[in-house]
Amino acid sequence: MLPVGLRRGRCATLLHQQLPPPHPELLISVIVPAKDEVANLPATLAALAAQTGLRGQPLPPASFEVIVLANNCTDATAAVVRQQAQRLPHLVLHAAELCLPAAKAHVGRARRLLMDEACARLEQVGRPAGVIASTDADTRVAPTWLAAIQAEIMAGADAVGGRILAEISGRALLPLRRIQVRDAAYRQLCARLEDLLDPAAIDPWPRHHQHFGASLALTARAYRQVGGLPEVRFLEDEALCQALRRHDLGLRHSPHVQVLTSARRQGRVEVGLSWQLREWLNMSRQQREPHVDNPAQLAVLWLVRRQLRAYWASQPTHQAGALAARLGLPAAVLLARVRRTEAFGKLWDWVVENGQVPRVLPVPLSLALRELPRLIKHYEPQPDEPAAISLPQVSVFPVSRAGSFRAVAR
C-alpha cells in the first residue's frame, strides 16, 4: 500500500519494497533519517528499545516500530541498524537504504519519504489517529517519550513538539552555553507572554517553544490533512508546523516529551541546530551579542492576532472598521475574507501577506531579557505572581546526566 494522495516516485517505491507489512497492533511509527551515523545510532536505537509507559510499565512490543532510512551513506549505517535489530529482538526495527539524486539528497526529502510511508502503514492497519513520531540519528529519547506523546494526543493534540536538550560541556564551550541558556530563557519567556496575550487551548502554559525533527510527532490524519511534510532542504520541521497552524491543527509544546541530542557543530544540513551552535560560538569569540525579536513589538502583534481571531470566530455580519484600519485593509475586503476562510491560520497568513501587521524588529538579547519580565507582569491577571516566569528545567533523564544538559533553542 503506497501513500495514496501523498508524493510518489521511484524512491518512495524502493523504500516501501524494503519494509515488511505493518503489524496489526501498530499504534506509532517512529522514523529516523540517517546519513553516516554509525557512531550515534546504537545509543539512539537503545533508547527507543527502552521505552516504557508513564509509570514504568513495558509497552506492548508490537505497538510501535522504528524505521531507519540510511540515505546516501558512505559508511555502514544500514549494517549497524541491522546489527542492532539482532541485539534488540524485542524492538520492531526496520532498516532501508536509498541513494537519493543529488538535487534531492537532503533531510527534507529523506524525512518526507519516511513520513509518507509511516502514514500509509498506520492507515493500512486502520489507525488514522495513529502517530508518526520523528527523531534524529544523533538523538536519545527519554524512556517515556512515546508514552508522553500518546498522552498529549489523547488529550486532544494533533501534533506534539518535544523539549530538545543538548549536551554542551567543557571549558572551551562555556561561552556557547551562556548564550544558549540566555536564548532559551528568552524563548521560554516569550512563550509565557504569548500564552497571556493569545492563548491556545491545546497548548496551555507551562509549555516550551520547540517543534523540530529531533522530537516532532503528529497523527496520520493530521499529516494527510496538511498534505505531508514540505520537501525543502532544511527547516522542513518548521515548514510542517506552519502547515499545521494554517489548518488550525493543535500543536502542543509538551514539557513532558523530552530528548537529548548531540551538540555537534558540523551537521547534515545548511541551517539547523549545528549551524545555530556554530553561529553562537563565533559570536562569543567575537564578543558579539545575538539579536532577537523585540518582545514589546511581539506583544502588539499577538494582541492584534487575538483581536482578529475573535472577530473571525464570531462569524461576523458587520464590518470592523477599527480592526481593518489597524491591519491596513479595507473593512469590506477584510469582512469578505473572514467570511470565506474556514481556518484562522489561513486568514492570518493572508493578512500578514496583504495587510500591514505590526512590525517586529531585532533587539539585543540582553535588552529583550530585561523587557520580558516587565511585559509579563503587566499582562499577568494576578499581580501577586512573580514577574520573572520561566519554564522549570525539569528533566526526565537520570540525575547523573541531567546536570550536563541544557535546553536547546534554535
Side-chain angles (χ1 to χ4, degrees):
M1 178 180 177
L2 289 173
V4 178
L6 298 174
R7 192 179 303 276
R8 297 190 183 188
R10 177 176 175 273
C11 289
T13 301
L14 289 175
L15 170 61
H16 176 76
Q17 291 172 344
Q18 294 180 63
L19 302 176
H23 193 281
E25 298 177 13
L26 181 65
L27 298 175
I28 306 175
S29 185
V30 180
I31 62 101
V32 186
K35 177 176 169 59
D36 295 338
E37 294 284 6
V38 164
N40 290 311
L41 269 171
T44 298
L45 298 175
L48 287 165
Q51 291 298 286
T52 70
L54 295 178
R55 298 181 179 179
Q57 72 276 22
L59 295 181
S63 64
F64 73 98
E65 65 179 7
V66 179
I67 306 174
V68 180
L69 173 59
N71 70 280
N72 300 70
C73 292
T74 59
D75 66 3
T77 290
V80 166
V81 177
R82 296 186 182 102
Q83 291 171 2
Q84 294 302 308
Q86 294 179 348
R87 293 174 183 171
L88 305 167
H90 61 288
L91 178 65
V92 181
L93 175 59
H94 310 305
E97 296 181 80
L98 287 177
C99 185
L100 302 177
K104 293 189 175 183
H106 53 75
V107 68
R109 176 60 170 158
R111 208 181 302 272
R112 167 80 193 220
L113 286 166
L114 282 165
M115 285 190 157
D116 282 4
E117 180 64 30
C119 180
R121 293 170 71 82
L122 290 165
E123 291 176 337
Q124 184 175 343
V125 296
R127 290 193 174 85
V131 177
I132 305 165
S134 168
T135 190
D136 288 335
D138 65 336
T139 299
R140 288 163 287 168
V141 303
T144 57
W145 184 62
L146 290 177
I149 288 172
Q150 277 190 309
E152 298 290 2
I153 296 293
M154 292 180 66
D158 299 295
V160 183
R163 190 74 166 133
I164 302 172
L165 312 175
E167 187 175 21
I168 302 178
S169 58
R171 181 176 293 273
L173 296 182
L174 281 178
L176 171 60
R177 175 183 282 187
R178 292 191 192 101
I179 293 179
Q180 180 267 320
V181 168
R182 288 167 61 80
D183 183 87
Y186 161 78
R187 299 189 186 282
Q188 289 171 206
L189 290 169
C190 279
R192 175 56 173 156
L193 181 61
E194 184 178 14
D195 178 69
L196 290 170
L197 300 180
D198 189 17
I202 204 63
D203 197 20
W205 184 261
R207 71 188 195 202
H208 58 83
H209 58 281
Q210 296 169 306
H211 42 249
F212 304 121
S215 183
L216 181 60
L218 73 167
T219 65
R221 182 185 293 112
Y223 186 75
R224 183 169 293 280
Q225 186 172 340
V226 301
L229 179 79
E231 194 174 305
V232 292
R233 292 191 62 85
F234 49 81
L235 298 182
E236 75 289 346
D237 38 23
E238 178 65 32
L240 176 58
C241 290
Q242 291 296 336
L244 290 168
R245 291 192 182 102
R246 282 195 297 273
H247 287 79
D248 288 353
L249 293 170
L251 172 59
R252 171 68 174 141
H253 296 87
S254 175
H256 305 294
V257 179
Q258 297 184 11
V259 303
L260 299 176
T261 196
S262 73
R264 62 187 179 191
R265 272 81 68 200
Q266 299 302 320
R268 304 293 191 265
V269 296
E270 295 95 324
V271 178
L273 174 57
S274 58
W275 171 85
Q276 182 65 84
L277 293 175
R278 289 198 308 272
E279 287 291 300
W280 282 339
L281 193 57
N282 290 335
M283 286 181 180
S284 68
R285 290 168 176 168
Q286 298 168 10
Q287 297 185 338
R288 293 189 294 118
E289 183 178 13
H291 280 59
V292 294
D293 286 343
N294 186 327
Q297 294 174 335
L298 282 174
V300 175
L301 180 68
W302 291 331
L303 285 170
V304 170
R305 188 179 66 190
R306 179 177 183 172
Q307 187 177 1
L308 178 63
R309 190 192 308 275
Y311 180 60
W312 169 81
S314 68
Q315 299 181 344
T317 58
H318 62 282
Q319 298 177 358
L323 176 60
R326 196 170 191 182
L327 295 173
L329 295 166
V333 172
L334 177 61
L335 176 60
R337 175 64 61 167
V338 166
R339 285 176 173 174
R340 67 172 182 263
T341 305
E342 72 283 3
F344 175 77
K346 293 179 180 179
L347 173 65
W348 179 248
D349 279 358
W350 179 85
V351 168
V352 169
E353 182 177 351
N354 296 277
Q356 297 176 8
V357 299
R359 298 182 64 190
V360 179
L361 302 175
V363 297
L365 176 58
S366 58
L367 177 62
L369 285 173
R370 290 195 299 269
E371 181 73 2
L372 274 163
R374 185 191 67 80
L375 287 166
I376 291 172
K377 184 176 181 180
H378 175 74
Y379 289 109
E380 177 62 55
Q382 299 180 9
D384 293 335
E385 186 171 341
I389 302 169
S390 61
L391 187 66
Q393 293 295 319
V394 177
S395 173
V396 299
F397 293 91
V399 174
S400 59
R401 290 183 176 273
S404 301
F405 296 97
R406 297 294 185 271
V408 172
R410 293 201 294 187

